[in-house]
């Protein structure tokens, strides 16, 4: 029987550190970090995420600026808002909640955000910085997953890590962060022929595909560490991850729960990146 990694507890520790950092920055430079969160449309899940992000800011002393735009917002108006936020000295981090409404699907909004304010780590420059081992903002969800591995003292060097999913926001950067820590990384996706066989090779398995309970406990190497990034709502309204939790716990050494695993860490790392952005801004003045 494995152990549960308590993402809420780890995130609270990280937030306490951030709160301390925010008050130190204010004491030293009179600067309060600010995060602008932009929501376009009325997607109910996105509304909850955005509210949680703004509230989390307040809890650690970061100023949260929420901008809610209607679903029929034109691309040029969204770009104009991002450009205004790029110039706003009170704003150190900018996040445009994804997904954008269908009419704006073709707009690659991350490319308009000043890379120095791209606390989501989605601007091509920050992705390039990650891939080439340079300093820059790391995408919050995989960054949070790395913190969870660190919290159990897991040594990645020489281990095999299997990432299921290849999204730009989680899967791809996740593999790069694992590689940066000298793991041997396998990416799996919808065209991978024998997913179970690939997952079985993993000392660490990160599931980020958005398919409810896709990864079964019987697929896992005994003693594996499982990081479940999925948040899926089943027909009975129950929230489940991309991993079958009960069977995974039988086989693995550690499993992250859903909810209460990776989710709280994503927000904590967003705050972390915002504090880093504000620190860099204060040093550049
Ligand atoms: N939608 C779901 N997760 C995220 C995230 O980390 N950043 C943004 N911008 N949108 C999201």
């Amino acid at each position: 029987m494995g152990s549960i990694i308590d993402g809420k507890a780890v995130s609270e520790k990280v937030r306490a550190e951030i709160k301390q950092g925010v008050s130190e920055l204010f004491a030293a430079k009179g600067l309060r970090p600010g995060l602008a969160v932009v929501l376009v449309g009325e997607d109910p899940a996105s509304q909850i995420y955005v509210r949680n992000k703004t509230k989390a800011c307040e809890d650690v002393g970061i100023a949260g600026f929420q901008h809610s735009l209607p679903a029929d917002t034109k691309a040029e108006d969204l770009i104009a808002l991002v450009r205004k936020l790029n110039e706003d000295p009170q704003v150190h981090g900018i996040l445009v909640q994804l997904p954008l409404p269908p009419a704006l699907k073709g707009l690659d909004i991350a490319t308009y955000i000043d890379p120095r304010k791209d606390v989501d780590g989605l601007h091509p420059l920050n992705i390039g910085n990650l891939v080439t081992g340079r300093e820059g903002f790391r995408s919050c969800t995989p960054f949070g997953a790395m913190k969870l591995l660190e919290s159990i003292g897991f040594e990645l060097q020489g281990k095999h890590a299997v990432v299921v999913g290849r999204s730009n926001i989680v899967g791809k950067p996740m593999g790069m962060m694992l590689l940066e820590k000298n793991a041997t990384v396998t990416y799996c996706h919808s065209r991978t022929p024998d997913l179970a066989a690939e997952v079985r090779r993993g000392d660490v398995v990160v599931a980020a595909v958005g398919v409810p309970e896709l990864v079964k406990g019987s697929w896992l190497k005994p003693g594996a560490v499982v990081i479940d990034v999925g948040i899926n709502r089943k027909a009975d309204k129950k929230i489940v991850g991309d991993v079958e939790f009960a069977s995974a716990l039988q086989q693995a050494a550690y499993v992250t729960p859903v909810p209460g695993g990776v989710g709280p860490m994503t927000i904590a790392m967003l705050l972390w990146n915002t504090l880093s952005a504000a620190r860099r801004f204060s040093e550049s003045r």
Side-chain angles (χ1 to χ4, degrees):
M1 187 81 175
S3 304
I4 295 173
I5 305 179
D6 186 346
K8 197 159 171 285
V10 179
S11 82
E12 272 158 20
K13 258 197 210 158
V14 174
R15 283 186 215 210
E17 251 179 76
I18 296 165
K19 195 169 182 170
Q20 174 76 20
V22 168
S23 71
E24 282 169 10
L25 184 62
F26 190 78
K29 309 268 177 129
L31 184 80
R32 185 174 184 213
L35 173 68
V37 181
V38 181
L39 173 64
V40 187
E42 273 118 45
D43 177 71
S46 291
Q47 282 175 327
I48 295 171
Y49 293 144
V50 163
R51 207 178 315 132
N52 289 344
K53 285 170 186 174
T54 328
K55 177 165 183 313
C57 283
E58 284 162 21
D59 292 345
V60 297
I62 292 175
F65 307 102
Q66 193 178 322
H67 297 264
S68 298
L69 303 178
D72 61 357
T73 297
K74 296 211 164 23
E76 60 255 40
D77 293 333
L78 178 57
I79 293 167
L81 173 61
V82 166
R83 291 205 164 118
K84 199 172 103 202
L85 297 170
N86 282 342
E87 300 303 320
D88 187 339
Q90 285 187 303
V91 171
H92 307 99
I94 302 169
L95 177 146
V96 179
Q97 185 67 24
L98 301 174
L100 289 171
L104 293 175
K105 270 279 185 304
L107 173 64
D108 193 358
I109 194 64
T111 60
Y112 294 89
I113 296 174
D114 184 333
R116 293 168 300 182
K117 297 192 177 188
D118 171 39
V119 287
D120 241 349
L122 297 180
H123 188 285
L125 185 74
N126 282 316
I127 308 262
N129 284 337
L130 167 64
V131 173
T132 53
R134 293 180 166 92
E135 202 183 318
F137 292 114
R138 303 304 196 229
S139 180
C140 302
T141 299
F143 193 11
M146 293 301 287
K147 277 266 168 198
L148 289 178
L149 290 172
E150 201 185 298
S151 77
I152 57 164
F154 191 81
E155 171 58 56
L156 279 161
Q157 180 151 309
K159 300 289 182 4
H160 200 125
V162 175
V163 180
V164 187
R166 55 171 162 179
S167 66
N168 289 336
I169 197 163
V170 183
K172 282 182 199 161
M174 184 79 245
M176 286 297 142
M177 289 181 210
L178 292 161
L179 183 65
E180 200 172 35
K181 296 288 179 194
N182 301 319
T184 302
V185 179
T186 300
Y187 282 102
C188 301
H189 46 79
S190 53
R191 313 285 167 88
T192 300
D194 188 348
L195 188 56
E198 298 297 340
V199 167
R200 189 141 189 106
R201 297 163 67 204
D203 300 300
V204 179
V205 176
V206 181
V209 268
V211 179
E213 299 174 317
L214 172 73
V215 176
K216 314 294 177 205
S218 60
W219 296 7
L220 298 167
K221 182 194 267 196
V225 176
V226 180
I227 306 288
D228 190 351
V229 179
I231 303 177
N232 310 288
R233 190 180 292 270
K234 291 214 297 187
D236 62 4
K237 299 258 165 81
K238 199 171 165 248
I239 303 284
V240 296
D242 291 349
V243 178
E244 202 178 77
F245 183 73
S247 64
L249 207 53
Q250 292 298 319
Q251 191 84 341
Y254 289 95
V255 185
T256 63
V258 178
V262 175
M265 292 304 295
T266 297
I267 296 189
M269 303 328 288
L270 173 67
L271 303 175
W272 176 292
N273 281 348
T274 304
L275 172 59
S276 302
R279 278 190 182 133
R280 279 179 216 160
F281 176 79
S282 76
E283 284 157 13
S284 70
R285 281 195 300 181

